[in-house]
Amino acid sequence: MLSEKIYRLVQYGIDTGLTPKCEKNYTINLLLELFKEDDYRAPEENGCVAGDGSRLLAADEKPELEPILKDLLDEAVMRGIIPDSIVYRDLFDTKLMNCLMPRPAQVQKEFWERYEKSPEDATDYFYRLSQDSDYIRRYRIKKDRKWVVTSDYGDIDITINLSKPEKDPKAIAAAKNAKSVSYPKCQLCAENEGYAGRVDHPARENHRVIPITINDSPWGFQYSPYVYYNEHCIVFNQKHTPMKIDREAFVKLFDFIKLFPHYFIGSNADLPIVGGSILSHDHFQGGNYTFAMAKAPIEKTVTIPEFADVEAGIVKWPLSVLRIRHKDEKRLIELAVHVLEAWRQYTDEAAFIFAETDGEPHNTITPIARKRGELFELDLTLRNNITTEEHPLGVYHPHAQYHHIKKENIGLIEVMGLAVLPSRLKEELELLEDYILEGKAVASDERIEKHADWVAEFLPKYERIDRENIREILQKEVGIVFTHVLEDAGVYKCTEEGREAFMRFVETL
């Protein structure tokens, strides 16, 4: 019965605090309109429901959103309101959730009132709302495969991303035939807040943004719908403008840290190959999580003339990282600009580092800022995107021998020590478990033949491989591959020769 299904969703909204109890009738009517239904009958008293229909769940029962939405989506399919397709279901359930949501101004008011108490209280509220609203789909995030692998550089986080649903043929065909639309310009634009979405653009009606000011300019603060780590947030320019690493970028990072000192924040590099997936829109990523890179110690302390008061050192990490610390963030900004300008024009042919070739620039930086006690800290990760015939995707990019695991760019999140691996690996690793245990030739199956050389290389390392340890072995070996991928991305290798070359650059500062 539709009335009961609607009732359960409204009660979920009230129980989670999304919907004020006084807005119950209003919310019910919004939902009825979506289902093109004029009639509503409050559930009768049945032991779980009060006489006035104010509850459907027992007092100690916590409402679960996924089954509530599934029932309503099945109803919408049955009534012919939407096709039975994951894309159309996602578009429609976002409309349903928007009926429960507070308006943007209400969210902003609540956020800043809580901020007066503490920044943590404000972000706790906003993060919980982003999950309760189903903007962050908890039930999908739970499906992601996650594990930790010990390496010479610390514990590396590995994830196989399963939370992004695959489009089905109906949606793909509809997107192909749809009229070309350039609004919003990209998925990071401020105009996404409240956007109904379409088959080629996700619905964002349940999405809320907190306006903030950094570097005296308007920016937005939101959470990532895919949450690769705890409180994974995105901070984006209110203008659709390209990413750029410069003095202003460093100022913005520290302005954010001063607003939210319990978070870290970092930027992807501003060049292809070593940059992130959306270079067309200026944005940062941050959150409340400590990555392996942040835990990595200083391997070699260095002193930079004119900045002798700033703590500086080379980090023990597969990528090439210069860490700087000071109580005054302005000193770090000045030093970061000095390092960036030197690196942009730095060439060391012996180390195969070229500032540019044929007029194309290659050197840039991936910066990550955080606060440790009274000190501000900035990690400057040196990047270079040069390509060669041997490495057409990038010399300092995952090399071809590791593409069976990771072929995509090494962006900010990977730089810090968290592998975001493609969803195909879930099925491939499950197949490998069976093939290895049954002694079947991995190369005989086109779905996993790409892994044959890798498997042949690591199998002799293990005296015993059985059903009890096969998954742990594969996870460990995937972690080893990702560690090598990070080493490939390092412009200076963690060798005596590599450290000598790194110091040649440091000495130019």
Side-chain angles (χ1 to χ4, degrees):
M1 183 178 178
L2 178 61
S3 293
E4 182 174 311
K5 294 171 183 176
I6 285 177
Y7 189 98
R8 289 180 65 86
L9 183 61
V10 174
Q11 191 60 53
Y12 168 87
I14 293 171
D15 287 349
T16 55
L18 288 175
T19 309
K21 193 172 182 179
C22 64
E23 293 184 7
K24 182 182 72 173
N25 290 335
Y26 174 79
T27 307
I28 288 169
N29 290 331
L30 290 178
L31 290 164
L32 287 172
E33 195 277 332
L34 286 182
F35 283 93
K36 308 183 189 307
E37 178 62 62
D38 297 322
D39 191 25
Y40 176 80
R41 297 183 183 182
E44 297 295 330
E45 186 174 0
N46 59 10
C48 292
V49 186
D52 65 352
S54 63
R55 282 204 66 80
L56 188 61
L57 301 171
D60 61 346
E61 186 180 352
K62 185 176 181 181
E64 288 192 29
L65 184 58
E66 184 180 11
I68 294 172
L69 286 177
K70 182 182 182 304
D71 286 346
L72 284 164
L73 291 170
D74 289 345
E75 180 81 24
V77 170
M78 183 187 73
R79 290 174 176 240
I81 296 171
I82 58 170
D84 190 9
S85 151
I86 185 70
V87 172
Y88 290 100
R89 290 171 82 97
D90 279 4
L91 291 170
F92 193 73
D93 72 9
T94 306
K95 291 184 188 297
L96 296 176
M97 291 306 300
N98 187 46
C99 295
L100 277 60
M101 293 289 293
R103 299 274 289 189
Q106 293 172 269
V107 174
Q108 293 168 30
K109 181 175 182 291
E110 180 76 13
F111 181 90
W112 291 114
E113 285 177 355
R114 288 173 178 264
Y115 187 90
E116 290 300 313
K117 179 180 177 182
S118 75
E120 292 93 334
D121 193 52
T123 54
D124 285 349
Y125 155 74
F126 189 39
Y127 189 52
R128 185 174 62 253
L129 179 136
S130 298
Q131 295 176 87
D132 289 342
S133 66
D134 209 37
Y135 166 71
I136 296 172
R137 297 174 185 265
R138 286 188 182 105
Y139 54 91
R140 286 189 184 157
I141 304 297
K142 288 178 182 177
K143 296 176 183 177
D144 288 351
R145 294 272 295 274
K146 300 181 180 181
W147 66 93
V148 176
V149 174
T150 301
S151 79
D152 292 339
Y153 310 100
D155 290 340
I156 303 293
D157 293 308
I158 309 292
T159 67
I160 296 178
N161 175 38
L162 303 172
S163 54
K164 291 184 182 180
E166 302 255 343
K167 290 185 178 180
D168 56 34
K170 288 181 185 177
I172 292 171
K176 184 178 179 181
N177 297 325
K179 182 178 71 172
S180 178
V181 177
S182 59
Y183 176 89
K185 291 186 177 68
C186 77
Q187 291 188 28
L188 288 178
C189 284
E191 291 79 11
N192 280 279
E193 187 177 34
Y195 189 61
R198 46 185 198 268
V199 290
D200 61 346
H201 192 102
R204 290 291 182 254
E205 288 158 303
N206 58 348
H207 175 41
R208 298 294 181 263
V209 174
I210 304 298
I212 63 173
T213 299
I214 56 177
N215 194 33
D216 298 322
S217 58
W219 282 59
F221 170 66
Q222 66 179 60
Y223 288 102
S224 165
Y226 304 113
V227 190
Y228 292 133
Y229 50 85
N230 188 48
E231 297 178 48
H232 178 183
C233 69
I234 298 172
V235 185
F236 63 93
N237 198 319
Q238 293 275 8
K239 293 182 179 179
H240 183 78
T241 186
M243 290 186 63
K244 186 178 182 183
I245 302 299
D246 56 10
R247 176 187 293 273
E248 290 191 349
F250 300 133
V251 171
K252 292 166 190 170
L253 291 178
F254 283 112
D255 278 359
F256 180 85
I257 291 296
K258 286 186 286 186
L259 278 173
F260 304 101
H262 60 300
Y263 276 11
F264 81 89
I265 189 168
S267 175
N268 271 302
D270 55 356
L271 293 178
I273 296 177
V274 295
S277 57
I278 306 179
L279 296 180
S280 60
H281 195 127
D282 193 13
H283 73 285
F284 307 132
Q285 295 181 79
N288 192 4
Y289 189 73
T290 304
F291 289 87
M293 178 177 166
K295 299 174 187 175
I298 296 292
E299 181 180 275
K300 182 178 178 61
T301 300
V302 300
T303 301
I304 300 172
E306 298 185 26
F307 294 92
D309 57 315
V310 178
E311 291 182 43
I314 294 171
V315 180
K316 184 182 178 183
W317 191 244
L319 284 96
S320 305
V321 182
L322 186 66
R323 177 171 295 162
I324 56 178
R325 292 190 187 119
H326 202 278
K327 283 187 176 182
D328 183 359
E329 83 282 0
K330 295 182 181 63
R331 290 295 286 159
L332 298 186
I333 291 168
E334 292 302 318
L335 177 50
V337 171
H338 177 59
V339 173
L340 176 66
E341 290 176 349
W343 180 244
R344 290 276 195 202
Q345 59 187 358
Y346 184 75
T347 292
D348 182 348
E349 294 187 18
F352 203 76
I353 293 170
F354 296 87
E356 59 87 22
T357 55
D358 300 324
E360 179 187 352
H362 296 306
N363 290 348
T364 187
I365 282 176
T366 298
I368 302 104
R370 62 185 77 89
K371 195 170 187 193
R372 293 190 192 267
E374 295 300 312
L375 294 178
F376 289 99
E377 183 173 275
L378 184 63
D379 284 348
L380 301 171
T381 311
L382 307 181
R383 313 297 303 274
N384 181 287
N385 75 347
I386 195 168
T387 61
T388 62
E389 287 187 11
E390 183 184 1
H391 301 293
L393 298 182
V395 172
Y396 306 108
H397 177 87
H399 289 179
Q401 69 192 96
Y402 304 126
H403 286 179
H404 64 104
I405 297 293
K406 177 71 173 176
K407 185 178 182 179
E408 299 78 16
N409 292 356
I410 301 302
L412 171 67
I413 293 173
E414 282 94 356
V415 164
M416 296 184 292
L418 190 157
V420 182
L421 302 180
S423 59
R424 62 174 171 82
L425 279 173
K426 178 181 181 291
E427 179 189 13
E428 291 171 10
L429 291 176
E430 289 171 352
L431 283 169
L432 284 174
E433 287 183 21
D434 294 334
Y435 272 65
I436 290 170
L437 291 174
E438 295 169 17
K440 295 162 65 175
V442 172
S444 67
D445 189 323
E446 63 180 11
R447 293 171 295 178
I448 54 174
E449 62 180 337
K450 64 175 79 71
H451 299 298
D453 291 344
W454 172 56
V455 171
E457 181 182 346
F458 74 69
L459 278 185
K461 291 163 52 177
Y462 300 93
E463 294 181 3
R464 179 181 67 88
I465 300 179
D466 54 32
R467 184 62 66 182
E468 291 183 359
N469 68 0
I470 182 64
R471 177 162 295 187
E472 181 182 349
I473 287 171
L474 283 170
Q475 290 181 342
K476 177 182 176 181
E477 293 297 329
V478 167
I480 290 171
V481 169
F482 181 68
T483 302
H484 290 320
V485 161
L486 292 181
E487 290 171 338
D488 284 348
V491 294
Y492 297 118
K493 307 310 176 189
C494 297
T495 61
E496 185 177 348
E497 182 182 11
R499 286 302 182 242
E500 287 175 359
F502 200 156
M503 283 304 299
R504 288 201 296 274
F505 169 66
V506 172
E507 287 163 4
T508 69
L509 300 174

